Amino acid sequence: MTLINQDTIGSQVLKARQYCENKGARFTLLREKVYELLIKHNGAVGAYELLDELKVTESNAKPATIYRTLDFLMEFGLIHKIESTNAFVACHHFDCHHPVQFLICDLCGEVEEIQSIGLKDTLNKQAKTVGFSVIKQTIEAHGTCARCQ
């Protein structure tokens, strides 16, 4: 885990709570704890690793507990799922609709989320030529981060 300033974590959790409340959803203590665990990680985290971390404070947590929580957090855009590794990463700008591209370091596991509007436009144009309408777009690029090169 990368060390992140507690004030930054607290402000991100508060922002998420307010966002959910504005959408009419409850940001329960359990959801908050899981979201906070994800914020503390610099890379993507698997559900069972999160479950192990959650059990430190919630000893009765089960796989269904973590999966229901992750489903909620994804539904509200607070986290993203990295499909290629079946892991999850916190989203820090969930209050806007955005296409998602991930740069995933295969050595250290760091995940960097980027937004390339040009890529989205190109994809939409190419899709349109074959009569396809893109609703959601996530692109994952695997490689080596600057620290690991």
Side-chain angles (χ1 to χ4, degrees):
M1 256 190 240
T2 298
L3 295 177
I4 298 176
N5 181 311
Q6 273 305 121
D7 290 339
T8 302
I9 293 169
S11 106
Q12 189 68 19
V13 168
L14 178 61
K15 183 178 166 188
R17 183 182 304 114
Q18 291 169 341
Y19 178 74
C20 288
E21 288 172 1
N22 289 342
K23 297 280 187 185
R26 289 184 50 230
F27 196 62
T28 64
L29 184 58
L30 180 64
R31 292 169 178 168
E32 180 178 320
K33 286 179 180 183
V34 172
Y35 184 61
E36 186 173 321
L37 288 172
L38 281 161
I39 292 171
K40 290 178 180 179
H41 282 272
N42 199 29
V45 186
Y48 280 90
E49 185 179 344
L50 283 169
L51 179 59
D52 289 342
E53 292 178 25
L54 184 61
K55 282 184 175 183
V56 171
T57 60
E58 304 294 320
S59 60
N60 61 343
K62 305 281 186 247
T65 306
I66 199 76
Y67 282 112
R68 277 193 306 269
T69 303
L70 292 169
D71 285 345
F72 172 88
L73 296 173
M74 280 192 302
E75 179 183 341
F76 282 86
L78 300 172
I79 66 172
H80 298 291
K81 183 175 184 181
I82 307 293
E83 296 292 339
S84 62
T85 59
N86 197 27
F88 303 87
V89 61
C91 179
H92 299 281
H93 49 273
F94 47 79
D95 51 354
C96 65
H97 179 70
H98 59 281
V100 181
Q101 297 96 38
F102 294 110
L103 305 175
I104 304 163
C105 181
D106 290 327
L107 297 178
C108 72
E110 180 178 334
V111 176
E112 183 71 34
E113 181 179 344
I114 61 171
Q115 296 178 38
S116 173
I117 301 304
L119 183 59
K120 178 184 183 238
D121 293 341
T122 300
L123 178 63
N124 285 338
K125 285 177 188 171
Q126 289 178 336
K128 189 175 180 180
T129 65
V130 295
F132 190 85
S133 177
V134 176
I135 296 170
K136 178 182 170 189
Q137 170 254 294
T138 301
I139 296 174
E140 299 177 17
H142 286 263
T144 311
C145 71
R147 278 195 327 238
C148 291
Q149 291 180 15

